[in-house]
Structures are given as structure tokens and as C-alpha cells.
Amino acid sequence: MASLNVTEARSKLYSLIDETAETHKPIVITGKRHNAVLLAESDWNAINETLYLLSVPSMGESIRVGMATELENCQQELDW
């Protein structure tokens, strides 16, 4: 993960935003008091969606079972 101090990040902000959006690699920005991480919005949304889904009881296990199921063993039509 790339790391820049806040002064460097400030001078390159627009290119850093483009870089994170295109590469999906976060960038650490270090400051005198605190550090921060720059992420592409789409990556942040994906993280939040994953956290939400995993907060639903038994959802994580259901997803793991579904991913391990061979496609030909899946129902062709939904019964809802």
C-alpha cells in the first residue's frame, strides 16, 4: 500500500483520486497527528455492503455454502 505525507497528498490530490479509482489500491496519507486512508468510492461502497451482509445472522455461512455449490446443482427457477 502506497504511503504519502499530507503535504505530498495535498499537491497530488486529483491524481491520487484517479489512481485509487483505477487501481483499487488504497493510499495511506500520514499526518503529524493522525493518518488516513484514501479509497475509491466504489471500494468503500463494496466494503460497506460486505459488512452489512455479514452483520445479518447466518448470512456469511449462507454465502459460503452458495459459493461452494456447483452451478449445475443450483435451482434454475426461484420459488418465490
Side-chain angles (χ1 to χ4, degrees), residues 19-57:
E19 181 181 333
T20 59
E22 292 166 7
T23 67
H24 300 281
K25 293 180 181 178
I27 297 172
V28 175
I29 301 171
T30 58
K32 290 181 182 177
R33 294 179 301 231
H34 302 286
N35 297 336
V37 177
L38 179 65
L39 293 171
E41 181 183 17
S42 61
D43 295 330
W44 176 246
N45 290 339
I47 289 167
N48 278 318
E49 183 176 349
T50 300
L51 290 173
Y52 171 76
L53 290 173
L54 293 177
S55 74
V56 176

PDB file of all heavy atoms in Angstrom, residues 19-57:
ATOM      1  N   GLU A  19      -5.923   7.613  -9.359  1.00  0.00           N
ATOM      2  CA  GLU A  19      -5.151   6.385  -9.158  1.00  0.00           C
ATOM      3  C   GLU A  19      -5.920   5.364  -8.331  1.00  0.00           C
ATOM      4  O   GLU A  19      -5.984   4.185  -8.692  1.00  0.00           O
ATOM      5  CB  GLU A  19      -3.827   6.726  -8.467  1.00  0.00           C
ATOM      6  CG  GLU A  19      -2.929   5.529  -8.229  1.00  0.00           C
ATOM      7  CD  GLU A  19      -1.647   5.902  -7.518  1.00  0.00           C
ATOM      8  OE1 GLU A  19      -1.184   7.049  -7.645  1.00  0.00           O
ATOM      9  OE2 GLU A  19      -1.097   5.018  -6.832  1.00  0.00           O
ATOM     10  N   THR A  20      -6.533   5.799  -7.233  1.00  0.00           N
ATOM     11  CA  THR A  20      -7.276   4.836  -6.402  1.00  0.00           C
ATOM     12  C   THR A  20      -8.504   4.303  -7.134  1.00  0.00           C
ATOM     13  O   THR A  20      -8.847   3.134  -6.990  1.00  0.00           O
ATOM     14  CB  THR A  20      -7.698   5.452  -5.054  1.00  0.00           C
ATOM     15  OG1 THR A  20      -8.512   6.595  -5.287  1.00  0.00           O
ATOM     16  CG2 THR A  20      -6.506   5.813  -4.204  1.00  0.00           C
ATOM     17  N   ALA A  21      -9.137   5.146  -7.930  1.00  0.00           N
ATOM     18  CA  ALA A  21     -10.316   4.699  -8.688  1.00  0.00           C
ATOM     19  C   ALA A  21      -9.945   3.692  -9.758  1.00  0.00           C
ATOM     20  O   ALA A  21     -10.687   2.739 -10.024  1.00  0.00           O
ATOM     21  CB  ALA A  21     -11.024   5.899  -9.311  1.00  0.00           C
ATOM     22  N   GLU A  22      -8.786   3.873 -10.373  1.00  0.00           N
ATOM     23  CA  GLU A  22      -8.373   2.997 -11.475  1.00  0.00           C
ATOM     24  C   GLU A  22      -7.703   1.713 -10.988  1.00  0.00           C
ATOM     25  O   GLU A  22      -7.892   0.650 -11.587  1.00  0.00           O
ATOM     26  CB  GLU A  22      -7.435   3.757 -12.411  1.00  0.00           C
ATOM     27  CG  GLU A  22      -8.136   4.877 -13.159  1.00  0.00           C
ATOM     28  CD  GLU A  22      -7.191   5.859 -13.831  1.00  0.00           C
ATOM     29  OE1 GLU A  22      -5.959   5.618 -13.842  1.00  0.00           O
ATOM     30  OE2 GLU A  22      -7.690   6.882 -14.342  1.00  0.00           O
ATOM     31  N   THR A  23      -6.894   1.798  -9.929  1.00  0.00           N
ATOM     32  CA  THR A  23      -6.139   0.621  -9.470  1.00  0.00           C
ATOM     33  C   THR A  23      -6.809  -0.133  -8.336  1.00  0.00           C
ATOM     34  O   THR A  23      -6.462  -1.269  -8.068  1.00  0.00           O
ATOM     35  CB  THR A  23      -4.736   1.029  -8.988  1.00  0.00           C
ATOM     36  OG1 THR A  23      -4.862   1.831  -7.801  1.00  0.00           O
ATOM     37  CG2 THR A  23      -3.967   1.771 -10.066  1.00  0.00           C
ATOM     38  N   HIS A  24      -7.757   0.515  -7.658  1.00  0.00           N
ATOM     39  CA  HIS A  24      -8.427  -0.063  -6.486  1.00  0.00           C
ATOM     40  C   HIS A  24      -7.436  -0.385  -5.363  1.00  0.00           C
ATOM     41  O   HIS A  24      -7.677  -1.272  -4.560  1.00  0.00           O
ATOM     42  CB  HIS A  24      -9.244  -1.294  -6.864  1.00  0.00           C
ATOM     43  CG  HIS A  24     -10.307  -0.965  -7.865  1.00  0.00           C
ATOM     44  ND1 HIS A  24     -11.498  -0.366  -7.514  1.00  0.00           N
ATOM     45  CD2 HIS A  24     -10.342  -1.107  -9.208  1.00  0.00           C
ATOM     46  CE1 HIS A  24     -12.214  -0.161  -8.592  1.00  0.00           C
ATOM     47  NE2 HIS A  24     -11.539  -0.605  -9.644  1.00  0.00           N
ATOM     48  N   LYS A  25      -6.335   0.355  -5.331  1.00  0.00           N
ATOM     49  CA  LYS A  25      -5.351   0.205  -4.255  1.00  0.00           C
ATOM     50  C   LYS A  25      -5.455   1.419  -3.342  1.00  0.00           C
ATOM     51  O   LYS A  25      -5.338   2.551  -3.805  1.00  0.00           O
ATOM     52  CB  LYS A  25      -3.937   0.089  -4.817  1.00  0.00           C
ATOM     53  CG  LYS A  25      -3.714  -1.176  -5.603  1.00  0.00           C
ATOM     54  CD  LYS A  25      -2.298  -1.238  -6.128  1.00  0.00           C
ATOM     55  CE  LYS A  25      -2.103  -2.511  -6.950  1.00  0.00           C
ATOM     56  NZ  LYS A  25      -0.753  -2.579  -7.510  1.00  0.00           N
ATOM     57  N   PRO A  26      -5.659   1.202  -2.042  1.00  0.00           N
ATOM     58  CA  PRO A  26      -5.751   2.335  -1.122  1.00  0.00           C
ATOM     59  C   PRO A  26      -4.400   3.016  -0.940  1.00  0.00           C
ATOM     60  O   PRO A  26      -3.351   2.414  -1.171  1.00  0.00           O
ATOM     61  CB  PRO A  26      -6.219   1.696   0.188  1.00  0.00           C
ATOM     62  CG  PRO A  26      -5.876   0.267   0.076  1.00  0.00           C
ATOM     63  CD  PRO A  26      -5.847  -0.075  -1.382  1.00  0.00           C
ATOM     64  N   ILE A  27      -4.444   4.269  -0.539  1.00  0.00           N
ATOM     65  CA  ILE A  27      -3.237   5.048  -0.292  1.00  0.00           C
ATOM     66  C   ILE A  27      -3.300   5.590   1.128  1.00  0.00           C
ATOM     67  O   ILE A  27      -4.298   6.212   1.518  1.00  0.00           O
ATOM     68  CB  ILE A  27      -3.108   6.207  -1.296  1.00  0.00           C
ATOM     69  CG1 ILE A  27      -2.970   5.660  -2.719  1.00  0.00           C
ATOM     70  CG2 ILE A  27      -1.925   7.108  -0.937  1.00  0.00           C
ATOM     71  CD1 ILE A  27      -3.017   6.707  -3.802  1.00  0.00           C
ATOM     72  N   VAL A  28      -2.255   5.353   1.914  1.00  0.00           N
ATOM     73  CA  VAL A  28      -2.177   5.868   3.271  1.00  0.00           C
ATOM     74  C   VAL A  28      -1.635   7.296   3.216  1.00  0.00           C
ATOM     75  O   VAL A  28      -0.627   7.559   2.564  1.00  0.00           O
ATOM     76  CB  VAL A  28      -1.263   4.991   4.154  1.00  0.00           C
ATOM     77  CG1 VAL A  28      -1.094   5.598   5.531  1.00  0.00           C
ATOM     78  CG2 VAL A  28      -1.809   3.582   4.249  1.00  0.00           C
ATOM     79  N   ILE A  29      -2.313   8.184   3.899  1.00  0.00           N
ATOM     80  CA  ILE A  29      -1.866   9.575   3.999  1.00  0.00           C
ATOM     81  C   ILE A  29      -1.495   9.811   5.457  1.00  0.00           C
ATOM     82  O   ILE A  29      -2.339   9.663   6.350  1.00  0.00           O
ATOM     83  CB  ILE A  29      -2.956  10.555   3.532  1.00  0.00           C
ATOM     84  CG1 ILE A  29      -3.323  10.253   2.078  1.00  0.00           C
ATOM     85  CG2 ILE A  29      -2.494  11.993   3.701  1.00  0.00           C
ATOM     86  CD1 ILE A  29      -4.532  11.006   1.568  1.00  0.00           C
ATOM     87  N   THR A  30      -0.232  10.136   5.697  1.00  0.00           N
ATOM     88  CA  THR A  30       0.250  10.299   7.064  1.00  0.00           C
ATOM     89  C   THR A  30       0.332  11.777   7.427  1.00  0.00           C
ATOM     90  O   THR A  30       0.754  12.606   6.631  1.00  0.00           O
ATOM     91  CB  THR A  30       1.643   9.655   7.239  1.00  0.00           C
ATOM     92  OG1 THR A  30       2.552  10.253   6.316  1.00  0.00           O
ATOM     93  CG2 THR A  30       1.590   8.159   6.980  1.00  0.00           C
ATOM     94  N   GLY A  31      -0.116  12.078   8.626  1.00  0.00           N
ATOM     95  CA  GLY A  31      -0.065  13.440   9.131  1.00  0.00           C
ATOM     96  C   GLY A  31       0.676  13.481  10.452  1.00  0.00           C
ATOM     97  O   GLY A  31       1.064  12.442  10.998  1.00  0.00           O
ATOM     98  N   LYS A  32       0.860  14.666  10.979  1.00  0.00           N
ATOM     99  CA  LYS A  32       1.566  14.809  12.256  1.00  0.00           C
ATOM    100  C   LYS A  32       0.755  14.239  13.411  1.00  0.00           C
ATOM    101  O   LYS A  32       1.312  13.675  14.348  1.00  0.00           O
ATOM    102  CB  LYS A  32       1.877  16.282  12.520  1.00  0.00           C
ATOM    103  CG  LYS A  32       2.925  16.841  11.593  1.00  0.00           C
ATOM    104  CD  LYS A  32       3.212  18.291  11.905  1.00  0.00           C
ATOM    105  CE  LYS A  32       4.244  18.820  10.916  1.00  0.00           C
ATOM    106  NZ  LYS A  32       4.513  20.244  11.129  1.00  0.00           N
ATOM    107  N   ARG A  33      -0.573  14.375  13.353  1.00  0.00           N
ATOM    108  CA  ARG A  33      -1.419  13.907  14.455  1.00  0.00           C
ATOM    109  C   ARG A  33      -2.086  12.572  14.162  1.00  0.00           C
ATOM    110  O   ARG A  33      -2.241  11.749  15.055  1.00  0.00           O
ATOM    111  CB  ARG A  33      -2.486  14.953  14.772  1.00  0.00           C
ATOM    112  CG  ARG A  33      -1.902  16.245  15.332  1.00  0.00           C
ATOM    113  CD  ARG A  33      -3.004  17.223  15.595  1.00  0.00           C
ATOM    114  NE  ARG A  33      -3.719  17.477  14.343  1.00  0.00           N
ATOM    115  CZ  ARG A  33      -3.977  18.674  13.861  1.00  0.00           C
ATOM    116  NH1 ARG A  33      -3.613  19.733  14.522  1.00  0.00           N
ATOM    117  NH2 ARG A  33      -4.613  18.817  12.727  1.00  0.00           N
ATOM    118  N   HIS A  34      -2.506  12.362  12.925  1.00  0.00           N
ATOM    119  CA  HIS A  34      -3.259  11.149  12.575  1.00  0.00           C
ATOM    120  C   HIS A  34      -2.948  10.740  11.146  1.00  0.00           C
ATOM    121  O   HIS A  34      -2.419  11.519  10.366  1.00  0.00           O
ATOM    122  CB  HIS A  34      -4.769  11.387  12.708  1.00  0.00           C
ATOM    123  CG  HIS A  34      -5.196  11.824  14.060  1.00  0.00           C
ATOM    124  ND1 HIS A  34      -5.257  10.968  15.130  1.00  0.00           N
ATOM    125  CD2 HIS A  34      -5.572  13.043  14.529  1.00  0.00           C
ATOM    126  CE1 HIS A  34      -5.654  11.631  16.199  1.00  0.00           C
ATOM    127  NE2 HIS A  34      -5.852  12.906  15.858  1.00  0.00           N
ATOM    128  N   ASN A  35      -3.317   9.520  10.825  1.00  0.00           N
ATOM    129  CA  ASN A  35      -3.202   9.003   9.464  1.00  0.00           C
ATOM    130  C   ASN A  35      -4.599   8.750   8.913  1.00  0.00           C
ATOM    131  O   ASN A  35      -5.561   8.596   9.671  1.00  0.00           O
ATOM    132  CB  ASN A  35      -2.402   7.703   9.432  1.00  0.00           C
ATOM    133  CG  ASN A  35      -0.981   7.904   9.903  1.00  0.00           C
ATOM    134  OD1 ASN A  35      -0.443   8.997   9.850  1.00  0.00           O
ATOM    135  ND2 ASN A  35      -0.367   6.840  10.385  1.00  0.00           N
ATOM    136  N   ALA A  36      -4.700   8.687   7.591  1.00  0.00           N
ATOM    137  CA  ALA A  36      -5.971   8.397   6.934  1.00  0.00           C
ATOM    138  C   ALA A  36      -5.687   7.513   5.727  1.00  0.00           C
ATOM    139  O   ALA A  36      -4.543   7.385   5.296  1.00  0.00           O
ATOM    140  CB  ALA A  36      -6.653   9.678   6.496  1.00  0.00           C
ATOM    141  N   VAL A  37      -6.743   6.914   5.197  1.00  0.00           N
ATOM    142  CA  VAL A  37      -6.616   6.064   4.017  1.00  0.00           C
ATOM    143  C   VAL A  37      -7.547   6.600   2.938  1.00  0.00           C
ATOM    144  O   VAL A  37      -8.722   6.857   3.190  1.00  0.00           O
ATOM    145  CB  VAL A  37      -6.970   4.594   4.341  1.00  0.00           C
ATOM    146  CG1 VAL A  37      -6.909   3.726   3.093  1.00  0.00           C
ATOM    147  CG2 VAL A  37      -6.047   4.050   5.422  1.00  0.00           C
ATOM    148  N   LEU A  38      -7.010   6.762   1.739  1.00  0.00           N
ATOM    149  CA  LEU A  38      -7.790   7.205   0.585  1.00  0.00           C
ATOM    150  C   LEU A  38      -8.216   5.971  -0.193  1.00  0.00           C
ATOM    151  O   LEU A  38      -7.389   5.156  -0.598  1.00  0.00           O
ATOM    152  CB  LEU A  38      -6.959   8.136  -0.306  1.00  0.00           C
ATOM    153  CG  LEU A  38      -7.629   8.671  -1.566  1.00  0.00           C
ATOM    154  CD1 LEU A  38      -8.804   9.574  -1.202  1.00  0.00           C
ATOM    155  CD2 LEU A  38      -6.619   9.420  -2.418  1.00  0.00           C
ATOM    156  N   LEU A  39      -9.536   5.823  -0.373  1.00  0.00           N
ATOM    157  CA  LEU A  39     -10.115   4.695  -1.111  1.00  0.00           C
ATOM    158  C   LEU A  39     -10.992   5.221  -2.235  1.00  0.00           C
ATOM    159  O   LEU A  39     -11.582   6.298  -2.107  1.00  0.00           O
ATOM    160  CB  LEU A  39     -11.032   3.865  -0.206  1.00  0.00           C
ATOM    161  CG  LEU A  39     -10.447   3.097   0.936  1.00  0.00           C
ATOM    162  CD1 LEU A  39     -11.566   2.538   1.799  1.00  0.00           C
ATOM    163  CD2 LEU A  39      -9.580   1.981   0.423  1.00  0.00           C
ATOM    164  N   ALA A  40     -11.130   4.429  -3.281  1.00  0.00           N
ATOM    165  CA  ALA A  40     -12.105   4.754  -4.323  1.00  0.00           C
ATOM    166  C   ALA A  40     -13.507   4.592  -3.734  1.00  0.00           C
ATOM    167  O   ALA A  40     -13.742   3.720  -2.895  1.00  0.00           O
ATOM    168  CB  ALA A  40     -11.938   3.824  -5.518  1.00  0.00           C
ATOM    169  N   GLU A  41     -14.430   5.431  -4.154  1.00  0.00           N
ATOM    170  CA  GLU A  41     -15.797   5.350  -3.637  1.00  0.00           C
ATOM    171  C   GLU A  41     -16.408   3.970  -3.873  1.00  0.00           C
ATOM    172  O   GLU A  41     -17.088   3.424  -3.000  1.00  0.00           O
ATOM    173  CB  GLU A  41     -16.676   6.422  -4.277  1.00  0.00           C
ATOM    174  CG  GLU A  41     -18.095   6.406  -3.750  1.00  0.00           C
ATOM    175  CD  GLU A  41     -18.983   7.429  -4.427  1.00  0.00           C
ATOM    176  OE1 GLU A  41     -18.629   7.936  -5.503  1.00  0.00           O
ATOM    177  OE2 GLU A  41     -20.049   7.716  -3.864  1.00  0.00           O
ATOM    178  N   SER A  42     -16.152   3.388  -5.023  1.00  0.00           N
ATOM    179  CA  SER A  42     -16.726   2.063  -5.318  1.00  0.00           C
ATOM    180  C   SER A  42     -16.184   1.006  -4.355  1.00  0.00           C
ATOM    181  O   SER A  42     -16.912   0.097  -3.947  1.00  0.00           O
ATOM    182  CB  SER A  42     -16.443   1.660  -6.764  1.00  0.00           C
ATOM    183  OG  SER A  42     -15.046   1.584  -6.997  1.00  0.00           O
ATOM    184  N   ASP A  43     -14.914   1.134  -3.958  1.00  0.00           N
ATOM    185  CA  ASP A  43     -14.347   0.193  -2.992  1.00  0.00           C
ATOM    186  C   ASP A  43     -14.960   0.399  -1.608  1.00  0.00           C
ATOM    187  O   ASP A  43     -15.255  -0.561  -0.899  1.00  0.00           O
ATOM    188  CB  ASP A  43     -12.827   0.337  -2.931  1.00  0.00           C
ATOM    189  CG  ASP A  43     -12.164  -0.060  -4.236  1.00  0.00           C
ATOM    190  OD1 ASP A  43     -12.707  -0.926  -4.940  1.00  0.00           O
ATOM    191  OD2 ASP A  43     -11.105   0.510  -4.555  1.00  0.00           O
ATOM    192  N   TRP A  44     -15.153   1.646  -1.220  1.00  0.00           N
ATOM    193  CA  TRP A  44     -15.786   1.949   0.066  1.00  0.00           C
ATOM    194  C   TRP A  44     -17.209   1.390   0.099  1.00  0.00           C
ATOM    195  O   TRP A  44     -17.623   0.787   1.088  1.00  0.00           O
ATOM    196  CB  TRP A  44     -15.796   3.456   0.302  1.00  0.00           C
ATOM    197  CG  TRP A  44     -16.501   3.861   1.554  1.00  0.00           C
ATOM    198  CD1 TRP A  44     -17.656   4.586   1.653  1.00  0.00           C
ATOM    199  CD2 TRP A  44     -16.094   3.563   2.899  1.00  0.00           C
ATOM    200  NE1 TRP A  44     -17.988   4.742   2.976  1.00  0.00           N
ATOM    201  CE2 TRP A  44     -17.049   4.123   3.754  1.00  0.00           C
ATOM    202  CE3 TRP A  44     -15.030   2.863   3.438  1.00  0.00           C
ATOM    203  CZ2 TRP A  44     -16.974   4.014   5.143  1.00  0.00           C
ATOM    204  CZ3 TRP A  44     -14.951   2.756   4.825  1.00  0.00           C
ATOM    205  CH2 TRP A  44     -15.905   3.326   5.658  1.00  0.00           C
ATOM    206  N   ASN A  45     -17.951   1.562  -0.991  1.00  0.00           N
ATOM    207  CA  ASN A  45     -19.314   1.024  -1.059  1.00  0.00           C
ATOM    208  C   ASN A  45     -19.306  -0.494  -0.963  1.00  0.00           C
ATOM    209  O   ASN A  45     -20.163  -1.086  -0.293  1.00  0.00           O
ATOM    210  CB  ASN A  45     -20.007   1.479  -2.341  1.00  0.00           C
ATOM    211  CG  ASN A  45     -20.313   2.957  -2.329  1.00  0.00           C
ATOM    212  OD1 ASN A  45     -20.384   3.586  -1.279  1.00  0.00           O
ATOM    213  ND2 ASN A  45     -20.471   3.536  -3.508  1.00  0.00           N
ATOM    214  N   ALA A  46     -18.351  -1.146  -1.614  1.00  0.00           N
ATOM    215  CA  ALA A  46     -18.254  -2.607  -1.559  1.00  0.00           C
ATOM    216  C   ALA A  46     -17.935  -3.082  -0.148  1.00  0.00           C
ATOM    217  O   ALA A  46     -18.498  -4.083   0.334  1.00  0.00           O
ATOM    218  CB  ALA A  46     -17.191  -3.101  -2.542  1.00  0.00           C
ATOM    219  N   ILE A  47     -17.047  -2.383   0.535  1.00  0.00           N
ATOM    220  CA  ILE A  47     -16.715  -2.737   1.923  1.00  0.00           C
ATOM    221  C   ILE A  47     -17.950  -2.610   2.801  1.00  0.00           C
ATOM    222  O   ILE A  47     -18.256  -3.509   3.600  1.00  0.00           O
ATOM    223  CB  ILE A  47     -15.572  -1.848   2.440  1.00  0.00           C
ATOM    224  CG1 ILE A  47     -14.259  -2.219   1.753  1.00  0.00           C
ATOM    225  CG2 ILE A  47     -15.424  -1.959   3.961  1.00  0.00           C
ATOM    226  CD1 ILE A  47     -13.140  -1.213   1.958  1.00  0.00           C
ATOM    227  N   ASN A  48     -18.671  -1.509   2.668  1.00  0.00           N
ATOM    228  CA  ASN A  48     -19.874  -1.311   3.484  1.00  0.00           C
ATOM    229  C   ASN A  48     -20.940  -2.361   3.201  1.00  0.00           C
ATOM    230  O   ASN A  48     -21.612  -2.842   4.104  1.00  0.00           O
ATOM    231  CB  ASN A  48     -20.441   0.097   3.277  1.00  0.00           C
ATOM    232  CG  ASN A  48     -19.718   1.106   4.116  1.00  0.00           C
ATOM    233  OD1 ASN A  48     -19.418   0.841   5.272  1.00  0.00           O
ATOM    234  ND2 ASN A  48     -19.418   2.247   3.556  1.00  0.00           N
ATOM    235  N   GLU A  49     -21.107  -2.720   1.937  1.00  0.00           N
ATOM    236  CA  GLU A  49     -22.092  -3.743   1.580  1.00  0.00           C
ATOM    237  C   GLU A  49     -21.709  -5.088   2.186  1.00  0.00           C
ATOM    238  O   GLU A  49     -22.546  -5.804   2.735  1.00  0.00           O
ATOM    239  CB  GLU A  49     -22.211  -3.861   0.064  1.00  0.00           C
ATOM    240  CG  GLU A  49     -23.265  -4.846  -0.380  1.00  0.00           C
ATOM    241  CD  GLU A  49     -23.444  -4.894  -1.889  1.00  0.00           C
ATOM    242  OE1 GLU A  49     -22.914  -4.021  -2.601  1.00  0.00           O
ATOM    243  OE2 GLU A  49     -24.110  -5.823  -2.349  1.00  0.00           O
ATOM    244  N   THR A  50     -20.423  -5.427   2.113  1.00  0.00           N
ATOM    245  CA  THR A  50     -19.943  -6.683   2.697  1.00  0.00           C
ATOM    246  C   THR A  50     -20.171  -6.692   4.199  1.00  0.00           C
ATOM    247  O   THR A  50     -20.651  -7.692   4.758  1.00  0.00           O
ATOM    248  CB  THR A  50     -18.452  -6.889   2.379  1.00  0.00           C
ATOM    249  OG1 THR A  50     -18.294  -6.936   0.957  1.00  0.00           O
ATOM    250  CG2 THR A  50     -17.919  -8.166   2.997  1.00  0.00           C
ATOM    251  N   LEU A  51     -19.833  -5.602   4.875  1.00  0.00           N
ATOM    252  CA  LEU A  51     -20.038  -5.529   6.321  1.00  0.00           C
ATOM    253  C   LEU A  51     -21.510  -5.669   6.673  1.00  0.00           C
ATOM    254  O   LEU A  51     -21.863  -6.353   7.640  1.00  0.00           O
ATOM    255  CB  LEU A  51     -19.483  -4.213   6.868  1.00  0.00           C
ATOM    256  CG  LEU A  51     -17.966  -4.090   6.861  1.00  0.00           C
ATOM    257  CD1 LEU A  51     -17.553  -2.677   7.274  1.00  0.00           C
ATOM    258  CD2 LEU A  51     -17.327  -5.135   7.749  1.00  0.00           C
ATOM    259  N   TYR A  52     -22.381  -5.038   5.885  1.00  0.00           N
ATOM    260  CA  TYR A  52     -23.810  -5.168   6.139  1.00  0.00           C
ATOM    261  C   TYR A  52     -24.270  -6.620   5.981  1.00  0.00           C
ATOM    262  O   TYR A  52     -24.961  -7.162   6.839  1.00  0.00           O
ATOM    263  CB  TYR A  52     -24.628  -4.255   5.218  1.00  0.00           C
ATOM    264  CG  TYR A  52     -26.098  -4.553   5.322  1.00  0.00           C
ATOM    265  CD1 TYR A  52     -26.825  -4.130   6.427  1.00  0.00           C
ATOM    266  CD2 TYR A  52     -26.750  -5.308   4.357  1.00  0.00           C
ATOM    267  CE1 TYR A  52     -28.170  -4.433   6.562  1.00  0.00           C
ATOM    268  CE2 TYR A  52     -28.090  -5.615   4.474  1.00  0.00           C
ATOM    269  CZ  TYR A  52     -28.792  -5.175   5.584  1.00  0.00           C
ATOM    270  OH  TYR A  52     -30.126  -5.499   5.714  1.00  0.00           O
ATOM    271  N   LEU A  53     -23.899  -7.236   4.870  1.00  0.00           N
ATOM    272  CA  LEU A  53     -24.325  -8.617   4.632  1.00  0.00           C
ATOM    273  C   LEU A  53     -23.822  -9.555   5.726  1.00  0.00           C
ATOM    274  O   LEU A  53     -24.544 -10.450   6.171  1.00  0.00           O
ATOM    275  CB  LEU A  53     -23.853  -9.100   3.261  1.00  0.00           C
ATOM    276  CG  LEU A  53     -24.548  -8.458   2.062  1.00  0.00           C
ATOM    277  CD1 LEU A  53     -23.886  -8.897   0.771  1.00  0.00           C
ATOM    278  CD2 LEU A  53     -26.033  -8.789   2.064  1.00  0.00           C
ATOM    279  N   LEU A  54     -22.590  -9.346   6.165  1.00  0.00           N
ATOM    280  CA  LEU A  54     -22.038 -10.215   7.203  1.00  0.00           C
ATOM    281  C   LEU A  54     -22.629  -9.926   8.576  1.00  0.00           C
ATOM    282  O   LEU A  54     -22.500 -10.748   9.487  1.00  0.00           O
ATOM    283  CB  LEU A  54     -20.515 -10.100   7.234  1.00  0.00           C
ATOM    284  CG  LEU A  54     -19.821 -10.641   5.989  1.00  0.00           C
ATOM    285  CD1 LEU A  54     -18.317 -10.412   6.071  1.00  0.00           C
ATOM    286  CD2 LEU A  54     -20.136 -12.114   5.774  1.00  0.00           C
ATOM    287  N   SER A  55     -23.315  -8.783   8.728  1.00  0.00           N
ATOM    288  CA  SER A  55     -23.969  -8.487  10.004  1.00  0.00           C
ATOM    289  C   SER A  55     -25.315  -9.199  10.130  1.00  0.00           C
ATOM    290  O   SER A  55     -25.860  -9.301  11.222  1.00  0.00           O
ATOM    291  CB  SER A  55     -24.173  -6.980  10.170  1.00  0.00           C
ATOM    292  OG  SER A  55     -25.223  -6.515   9.339  1.00  0.00           O
ATOM    293  N   VAL A  56     -25.860  -9.687   9.022  1.00  0.00           N
ATOM    294  CA  VAL A  56     -27.122 -10.426   9.047  1.00  0.00           C
ATOM    295  C   VAL A  56     -26.829 -11.840   9.563  1.00  0.00           C
ATOM    296  O   VAL A  56     -25.965 -12.526   9.009  1.00  0.00           O
ATOM    297  CB  VAL A  56     -27.759 -10.482   7.639  1.00  0.00           C
ATOM    298  CG1 VAL A  56     -29.015 -11.323   7.634  1.00  0.00           C
ATOM    299  CG2 VAL A  56     -28.025  -9.074   7.115  1.00  0.00           C
ATOM    300  N   PRO A  57     -27.526 -12.276  10.630  1.00  0.00           N
ATOM    301  CA  PRO A  57     -27.249 -13.601  11.178  1.00  0.00           C
ATOM    302  C   PRO A  57     -27.305 -14.704  10.116  1.00  0.00           C
ATOM    303  O   PRO A  57     -28.219 -14.748   9.304  1.00  0.00           O
ATOM    304  CB  PRO A  57     -28.354 -13.793  12.224  1.00  0.00           C
ATOM    305  CG  PRO A  57     -28.741 -12.401  12.606  1.00  0.00           C
ATOM    306  CD  PRO A  57     -28.580 -11.584  11.346  1.00  0.00           C
TER     307      PRO A  57
END
